[in-house]
Amino acid sequence: MTNILFAAGPELWADYETPLRRALDATGLDYTLGCDAAPETVDYIVYAPGSKLQDFAPYTRLKAVMNLWAGVEKITGNPTLTAPLTRMVDDEGLTQGMVEYVTGHVLRHHLGMDAHIVNPEHAWEPNVPPLSRERPVTVLGLGALGQACAGMLAHLGFPVTGWSRTEKQVERVTCFHGDDGLSRALADAQIVVLLLPDTPATRNLLDADRLARLPWGAVIVNPGRGPLIDDDALLAALDAGQIAHATLDTFRTEPLPADHPFWAHPKVTVTPHIASETRVDSAARVIAANIRRGEDGEPLLHLVDRDAGY
Ligand code: NDP
């Protein structure tokens, strides 16, 4: 009998219990699933940041912790967790949602939609936007989400450049990697999309120096993580005109504090961490399939590299 502890909190349990049972039943696994269990009897933990469970040491038989979200920065540093950690990947809802968010916000800026949506003077100013093929876009992070977004933007005709830690080949995307590749990835980017994880290596990646390397008037879309950008440097670059607009979905502190300058800044769009959400049914299937793999002795999918932090 495989013992699965749902430790992602009571609100998520209400959403996930039925879909998880349905998905686990479909795998044919003999299992128990609940929110309480004696720690030494637990095989797998379904987890979400914010869970009360922080000390994994008593879970002596643990085979894996399965994070419901894609981002794992709140758990990778937990010294009591020695069992394998997986994260949410391949949830078609999560990927589709991110592609829609990124495409929508890139097109908003590319087409200059704001000038028509808010036009109190009823100005007739026929500024025709360039075609997508004249608007280079750079996607920082070429993982599951970055590749899907880069692919859609390339499909729409944008010249897309991508950047990752290790070397990548992605169809229709000019790929750079590593520290040397970053300058080249930023050099022509009129729109920059951040889809990197929050790790010690990516924190403050877009600082004053790197923001200054972008073409004048570049736009930033950040559904990745707040700490990827130096807030003060971004505000200064917006005020100077170096950056024309920033659409931000993720922040160092969430919810974004009421007095944070981003809220009132005319060149910042704040969205409340809604770029993409793990969708219950598809996420339940991903978790169940991975537990089945574990029980069948197959390598778990979507393992987090604890040293790299993602
Ligand atoms: P992945 O782990 O699949 O991809 C991460 C990408 O970032 C990889 O291409 C990786 O490079 C690259 N990367 C990591 N560290 C570095 C570095 N130091 N230098 C250069 N590149 C680096 O993640 P996902 O695509 O699934 O998700 C990306 C992020 O999106 C998540 O970590 C999360 O923070 C955020 N997110 C936000 C959501 C929202 O609603 N706002 C929802 C879901 C996710 P390599 O390929 O070489 O490993």
Side-chain angles (χ1 to χ4, degrees):
M1 177 84 75
T2 306
N3 193 6
I4 304 162
L5 174 66
F6 188 90
E11 285 164 22
L12 290 172
W13 176 242
D15 293 340
Y16 272 88
E17 182 184 3
T18 303
L20 258 182
R21 289 194 191 285
R22 198 183 306 127
L24 287 162
D25 289 346
T27 68
L29 206 64
D30 187 16
Y31 70 93
T32 56
L33 171 69
C35 291
D36 283 311
E40 66 281 4
T41 67
V42 172
D43 295 299
Y44 296 90
I45 295 178
V46 180
Y47 194 80
S51 165
K52 277 195 291 186
L53 172 50
Q54 294 296 325
D55 181 8
F56 293 92
Y59 293 83
T60 46
R61 161 173 137 174
L62 197 56
K63 295 175 183 165
V65 171
M66 302 184 147
N67 200 53
L68 275 179
W69 314 148
V72 286
E73 69 276 4
K74 294 203 172 106
I75 185 175
T76 43
N78 187 324
T80 68
L81 176 58
T82 51
L85 171 66
T86 69
R87 63 185 202 95
M88 186 51 61
V89 183
D90 277 357
D91 161 28
E92 64 262 39
L94 187 69
T95 306
Q96 172 80 18
M98 188 60 81
V99 168
E100 291 181 12
Y101 178 94
V102 166
T103 307
H105 286 280
V106 165
L107 284 174
R108 166 193 168 194
H109 295 299
H110 166 61
L111 296 174
M113 289 183 190
D114 291 14
H116 308 292
I117 293 170
V118 181
N119 185 6
E121 306 301 325
H122 300 172
W124 183 271
E125 287 174 358
N127 295 322
V128 178
L131 292 172
S132 59
R133 64 170 181 251
E134 299 161 304
R135 178 88 69 192
V137 178
T138 286
V139 180
L140 300 179
L142 286 174
L145 300 178
Q147 284 198 31
C149 293
M152 175 57 80
L153 294 170
H155 179 73
L156 290 171
F158 292 98
V160 180
T161 296
W163 181 69
S164 53
R165 187 167 61 94
T166 57
E167 193 170 353
K168 289 264 174 313
Q169 287 188 340
V170 181
E171 204 180 337
R172 293 200 286 187
V173 177
T174 305
C175 295
F176 296 112
H177 67 280
D179 292 345
D180 296 344
L182 182 57
S183 303
R184 297 171 75 187
L186 294 179
D188 299 325
Q190 292 184 21
I191 300 178
V192 182
V193 178
L194 288 100
L195 278 168
L196 294 159
D198 173 11
T199 73
T202 61
R203 239 157 262 160
N204 288 320
L205 186 89
L206 286 194
D207 57 9
D209 176 47
R210 297 209 177 96
L211 289 167
R213 287 190 221 168
L214 289 165
W216 188 260
V219 163
I220 288 170
V221 179
N222 183 18
R225 281 294 182 262
L228 299 173
I229 307 179
D230 178 332
D231 286 5
D232 291 337
L234 176 59
L235 286 164
L238 286 161
D239 290 339
Q242 167 70 33
I243 303 299
H245 197 97
T247 293
L248 308 174
D249 186 58
T250 50
F251 305 90
R252 282 162 196 271
T253 307
E254 295 184 5
L256 184 64
D259 60 352
H260 196 288
F262 285 158
W263 278 118
H265 201 289
K267 295 180 182 173
V268 174
T269 299
V270 171
T271 58
H273 203 137
I274 45 78
S276 186
E277 180 76 9
T278 300
R279 311 288 157 145
V280 176
D281 287 321
S282 48
R285 286 195 295 273
V286 170
I287 297 275
N290 221 4
I291 291 176
R292 176 82 246 189
R293 285 178 70 91
E295 292 305 274
D296 288 347
E298 293 176 42
L300 290 173
L301 300 176
H302 321 314
L303 280 169
V304 172
D305 176 344
R306 305 286 290 281
D307 293 332
Y310 69 100

